Amino acid sequence: MPCTRDPDTMIVTDILPLTVLDVNRQTYKQLKLALSLNLRRQIFVAVCDDLPLRNRLAKGLAADLKADCESGEVPENGGGKTRQSEYPRLVSLELNLQDPNPVAQIEAWITRHPLPDPRSPLPVFQVLGLEKLTKATPTVQWSFLADLEASEGRLSDPGDRLFSCSILLWVSRPWGRTIAQSAPQFWHCRTGLFEFEGEPTPVAQSPEYSQTTIEASPVIPRLPQENPPPRPLLPLEQSHRETEGDYRPLKTPTPLLTAPSPPSPPKPPAKLVELVWATVNARISADVKAEVVPSGSNALPLQLLEQVEHLHCSGTSRGELAHAYVKLGSFYRDGLSQGSSGSQNGATVAPELLPQYLTLAILAYEEAIALMEKDAPEWGDLANDLGNCHWMRSRYRSQPQEKLPDLFKAVELYHQGLQHLDVQAQPSVWARIQNNLGAVYSELARYQDRQENLQRSILAYQQALDYRKGEAGGDMRPYAATQNNLGTAYWNLAQHRDAVQNLKQAVSAYSEALRHHSRSEQPLEYGMIQNNLGTAYWNLAQYEKPKDYLMLAIAAYQIALMYRTKQTVPAAHAATQNNLGTAYWHLANHSQSEPELRVEFLTEAIAAYDAAITLGQTLCHQAGSQSSPQKILAFDLIAAHTNVGLAHYQLVTQTNAIPDATCRAQHLHAALDHYIQGATATQDQPERHQNAWAYIVQIVRTIYAEFGIEGQTRALSRVPGPLLSELMRRL
């Protein structure tokens, strides 16, 4: 059993039990002995999750102490009159939810039952019924913890004769942790800790007693007033505190919090209250499972919820209540903004909780926006934040029909925000909302009305740019980000109509974005936009001036690789290498009249593809077999295999640059190996699978034509057994 560390406190030692019954019997003897010593000003804590067992133990203590002192019957809950000879040794008090202050209840009992002889010792008071707090409001729960913490001064004051008694507090394990953290002064002045083993009892199964916990922190950290808006279309720590040495963690996680029943009207939405409690409960349960002390940051949303409930009941102004809801929503929004690190206020935010955080932010912001006057200066920002939350929630949906309602709601909120904004008074807010509106229209274009939604996206970005270039402070990063987004919208529209015109607009937007990006301060963003520019040039080369635009694409990709390094962003580096290989391969095909250049371009294509494939395979291996390459890489790894295989084959068969037979054989073997990779990986894609087989057969025949049966035998030895019979049949 754990014990306190103070040298002047009672030490509860542990005798290794053979059964749960043995350990409970031993612990009960120790607790009974501690109470029978008639010590004054002692605080004992008994821990028991099994409520029927706890009730039997509490009644057993009363009976055993009564027999020991041969006194009268123990009055329950402060009832009945006593004489000195019948004065109880142990009094059981059930927590009063109307005033959840156990010390005040003890004081009231002593006042009603004065000692006939002031020199006589006061009884021990055991406090039960903490589980009734489960159905109480957060205000009642916080009141209990605050009163408990404030009582430490009186209990430790030798001059306070009234409180020369001892107290036995019955708690569950989770509740013990809560008091240890939320009322630390009370907890540290305890004398002994006694733990009983047993299965936790659900509240519904024990009408007499139930259990609850909350986690508190007296300080509410200041929340940021504004969250930076999402950066659409851009490539989008866990603190560990050891458990206190004098209170061991649970071996089996126990639910720590139960959502309280909604208070009487006026009140916040029941769904919001229940989800706040459920989310905090999930976080604390995860901490318990990890055997760490639950973080104090879990108390912050409960404090914010308590503020909301208090303001509802106090009849405060709508504006003040709206701001309380904004604070609550901002807590969960800020947790989302740190989702990539999974940390908020130094506490872990599990990825599976992020969708709940989104829903909570939405619920709180919806209440705030309904209460706030529409001419309030912050109304537009609030509509923007609420729209952002709906947009982000759509990304957690797997099916398009599930995404669309949130996307439509985001568009509606952005438009409402714009309607209630004075663009001249708040140009930066106007630009921010227009930028986000453009992003959502681009997202909608993936699922319906592609051309119309892309045009709406472009219009929104253009209106944002009208106000972003002259934003206060001279920070051009938002302007550059919107230009990049505009370029991507034009590039997408070019895939459906007016290709040359829209691609040139994309090139113009990307080039303008690069002019306002700092290479030193934003290397990754700069490299990303260079990659986008290269792709726009590559697309233009399919329509006009192929060699000119391909050379521009290659230059852009090469610059991008200087900033998208394999050390910093390996997946992005591999994707740009793949793009570079494709641009060189196309340039080689447009240089057939210049044999030397064609050889050079094919060689460069092979080098770029090899770099992409090698790094891509490494990343896939590191991710493990459970992750598919499509989820890890931003390019088609199998297509890269077949492309580089074709480049090897063309270098041998369509140029005279490799007269050496050994080198020719090496290139043909490399081509064969890459196409075998392609055939193996595309068995569920008939068209690509048959195309790979056609090249495999052609390569083997070429090897036979150049190197005879011996060369063919060497080539066939490179084919895996399962494919060899199929190859022989096709040959």
Side-chain angles (χ1 to χ4, degrees):
M1 291 295 161
C3 62
T4 57
R5 292 172 292 182
D6 299 330
D8 57 345
T9 59
M10 178 175 294
I11 304 299
V12 183
T13 59
D14 183 23
I15 301 176
L16 292 178
L18 296 177
T19 67
V20 170
L21 182 61
D22 291 334
V23 71
N24 285 343
R25 184 182 294 114
Q26 183 66 30
T27 304
Y28 179 80
K29 290 180 179 178
Q30 294 168 349
L31 176 56
K32 176 185 171 184
L33 175 61
L35 298 179
S36 65
L37 294 177
N38 294 329
L39 300 175
R40 296 187 179 189
R41 301 185 184 279
Q42 306 299 305
I43 297 177
F44 303 106
V45 178
V47 180
C48 185
D49 292 317
D50 186 332
L51 296 179
L53 172 62
R54 185 205 62 186
N55 296 340
R56 293 196 301 271
L57 294 171
K59 291 179 180 179
L61 282 173
D64 287 346
L65 291 178
K66 168 188 172 183
D68 287 347
C69 65
E70 299 181 349
S71 62
E73 184 177 355
V74 179
E76 295 282 340
N77 298 320
K81 296 182 179 180
T82 63
R83 300 186 305 273
Q84 182 173 1
S85 61
E86 298 176 347
Y87 210 79
R89 186 69 193 87
L90 181 72
V91 175
S92 298
L93 297 177
E94 190 173 340
L95 189 67
N96 177 15
L97 292 185
Q98 301 301 316
D99 182 13
N101 186 343
V103 174
Q105 286 185 247
I106 294 171
E107 183 176 12
W109 192 95
I110 295 174
T111 301
R112 291 196 306 270
H113 306 90
L115 283 172
D117 183 353
R119 295 172 297 178
S120 300
L122 287 169
V124 175
F125 292 89
Q126 64 173 349
V127 181
L128 305 123
L130 271 66
E131 63 281 352
K132 291 186 177 181
L133 289 168
T134 300
K135 299 295 185 179
T137 64
T139 301
V140 172
Q141 296 175 333
W142 292 119
S143 176
F144 168 77
L145 285 172
D147 290 338
L148 207 63
E149 182 74 343
S151 68
E152 186 274 335
R154 295 194 65 183
L155 294 172
S156 60
D157 182 4
D160 195 332
R161 172 68 178 87
L162 185 61
F163 284 98
S164 61
C165 62
S166 294
I167 298 175
L168 171 61
L169 194 66
W170 286 93
V171 300
S172 64
R173 281 182 171 80
W175 188 251
R177 291 190 182 86
T178 299
I179 297 175
Q181 183 174 4
S182 304
Q185 294 184 36
F186 176 87
W187 183 258
H188 288 302
C189 74
R190 75 195 184 286
T191 306
L193 181 68
F194 305 84
E195 292 189 281
F196 295 91
E197 300 296 332
E199 291 297 323
T201 303
V203 173
Q205 296 180 7
S206 180
E208 184 176 358
Y209 294 111
S210 58
Q211 68 183 46
T212 182
T213 65
I214 59 175
E215 182 151 344
S217 173
V219 180
I220 301 179
R222 192 177 73 176
L223 294 173
Q225 295 302 307
E226 175 179 302
N227 188 46
R231 295 169 56 186
L233 306 182
L234 292 180
L236 293 175
E237 163 163 86
Q238 170 180 347
S239 69
H240 179 87
R241 281 170 45 195
E242 295 297 335
T243 306
E244 290 187 42
D246 58 350
Y247 200 91
R248 66 187 177 193
L250 283 175
K251 296 178 181 177
T252 303
T254 303
L256 280 86
L257 298 172
T258 304
S261 300
S264 301
K267 61 182 182 296
K271 182 178 180 181
L272 174 64
V273 175
E274 292 171 1
L275 190 55
V276 167
W277 281 85
T279 305
V280 173
N281 191 21
R283 288 189 63 177
I284 298 178
S285 296
D287 289 341
V288 171
K289 187 174 182 180
E291 298 190 348
V292 297
V293 174
S295 169
S297 68
N298 291 325
L300 181 54
L302 297 179
Q303 290 177 323
L304 296 173
L305 181 61
E306 181 187 12
Q307 289 179 357
V308 168
E309 290 181 325
H310 173 73
L311 291 173
H312 265 288
C313 297
S314 65
T316 188
S317 68
R318 291 168 60 90
E320 189 175 355
L321 184 57
H323 281 90
Y325 273 115
V326 169
K327 284 186 176 182
L328 181 60
S330 296
F331 171 85
Y332 291 106
R333 179 204 62 190
D334 296 341
L336 292 165
S337 68
Q338 302 177 35
S340 59
S341 64
S343 177
Q344 181 187 32
N345 298 326
T348 300
V349 180
E352 60 269 19
L353 288 180
L354 294 181
Q356 294 184 36
Y357 268 45
L358 267 172
T359 299
L360 281 164
I362 289 171
L363 289 172
Y365 281 151
E366 284 176 342
E367 292 297 315
I369 208 166
L371 291 164
M372 191 175 292
E373 298 295 334
K374 291 191 175 182
D375 58 354
E378 58 269 53
W379 202 94
D381 263 326
L382 182 56
N384 177 67
D385 285 346
L386 183 53
N388 292 347
C389 289
H390 277 287
W391 173 39
M392 287 187 285
R393 190 166 69 174
S394 73
R395 297 192 167 189
Y396 285 93
R397 313 296 193 190
S398 57
Q399 300 299 322
Q401 61 268 26
E402 298 173 341
K403 295 174 177 285
L404 290 175
D406 275 311
L407 292 174
F408 289 143
K409 187 63 178 178
V411 168
E412 177 188 345
L413 286 162
Y414 292 143
H415 278 297
Q416 288 179 4
L418 292 171
Q419 290 170 4
H420 295 90
L421 267 180
D422 182 348
V423 63
Q424 301 302 323
Q426 295 178 286
S428 61
V429 178
W430 173 276
R432 180 160 59 249
I433 297 177
Q434 287 284 11
N435 179 79
N436 294 342
L437 182 60
V440 175
Y441 274 132
S442 287
E443 192 96 1
L444 274 171
R446 300 173 58 186
Y447 308 110
Q448 64 175 37
D449 303 331
R450 292 190 176 183
Q451 296 185 40
E452 293 81 356
N453 281 319
L454 284 170
Q455 286 181 305
R456 296 185 183 111
S457 175
I458 289 170
L459 179 61
Y461 286 138
Q462 288 173 333
Q463 294 197 45
L465 288 171
D466 289 341
Y467 294 92
R468 284 215 144 159
K469 193 169 185 178
E471 282 186 328
D475 185 1
M476 298 301 294
R477 288 176 295 182
Y479 172 82
T482 300
Q483 283 286 7
N484 175 68
N485 297 342
L486 177 61
T488 300
Y490 271 124
W491 185 90
N492 281 310
L493 186 58
Q495 313 309 306
H496 303 285
R497 74 176 198 196
D498 302 329
V500 173
Q501 176 184 347
N502 285 316
L503 286 170
K504 288 182 177 179
Q505 292 282 13
V507 167
S508 177
Y510 288 139
S511 300
E512 179 69 5
L514 288 170
R515 289 183 57 240
H516 297 283
H517 260 87
S518 168
R519 303 186 187 198
S520 58
E521 295 179 6
Q522 300 169 279
L524 297 182
E525 289 86 349
Y526 188 86
M528 176 201 62
I529 299 173
Q530 284 285 4
N531 181 79
N532 293 349
L533 178 62
T535 301
Y537 278 133
W538 180 87
N539 274 258
L540 268 174
Q542 315 307 307
Y543 298 96
E544 62 183 35
K545 302 179 182 177
K547 296 183 70 173
D548 292 341
Y549 283 128
L550 285 169
M551 291 297 291
L552 289 171
I554 288 169
Y557 289 139
Q558 288 173 331
I559 295 173
L561 289 170
M562 297 168 58
Y563 301 94
R564 308 180 99 188
T565 67
K566 62 182 179 181
Q567 290 80 17
T568 55
V569 280
H573 179 87
T576 300
Q577 286 282 15
N578 179 72
N579 294 347
L580 180 60
T582 301
Y584 270 124
W585 184 84
H586 278 274
L587 188 56
N589 287 341
H590 287 287
S591 305
Q592 297 197 27
S593 61
E594 303 172 277
E596 293 182 358
L597 284 178
R598 189 172 190 217
V599 170
E600 178 185 343
F601 296 149
L602 283 173
T603 303
E604 293 287 356
I606 290 171
Y609 279 133
D610 282 345
I613 291 170
T614 300
L615 185 53
Q617 289 175 332
T618 299
L619 294 173
C620 291
H621 177 73
Q622 291 172 347
S625 59
Q626 300 300 318
S627 300
S628 63
Q630 291 83 358
K631 294 182 179 180
I632 301 168
L633 305 176
F635 68 99
D636 188 336
L637 186 60
I638 300 306
H641 275 293
T642 56
N643 290 346
V644 72
L646 182 56
H648 279 291
Y649 183 74
Q650 289 176 332
L651 197 58
V652 172
T653 61
Q654 297 181 11
T655 72
N656 298 317
I658 308 177
D660 182 76
T662 301
C663 290
R664 293 171 69 83
Q666 289 174 348
H667 281 288
L668 290 172
H669 288 164
L672 179 62
D673 292 344
H674 283 293
Y675 274 106
I676 288 174
Q677 290 269 8
T680 302
T682 57
Q683 296 182 23
D684 58 343
Q685 303 173 51
E687 185 175 348
R688 296 180 69 182
H689 187 68
Q690 293 304 320
N691 181 66
W693 267 114
Y695 270 101
I696 289 173
V697 171
Q698 186 174 342
I699 293 167
V700 172
R701 286 174 175 168
T702 300
I703 291 174
Y704 175 75
E706 286 217 20
F707 304 103
I709 190 67
E710 183 180 351
Q712 179 177 286
T713 301
R714 286 196 297 269
L716 294 177
S717 68
R718 307 177 74 89
V719 180
L723 301 181
L724 188 57
S725 59
E726 174 67 13
L727 176 58
M728 296 303 296
R729 185 185 66 80
R730 291 173 181 265
L731 284 173

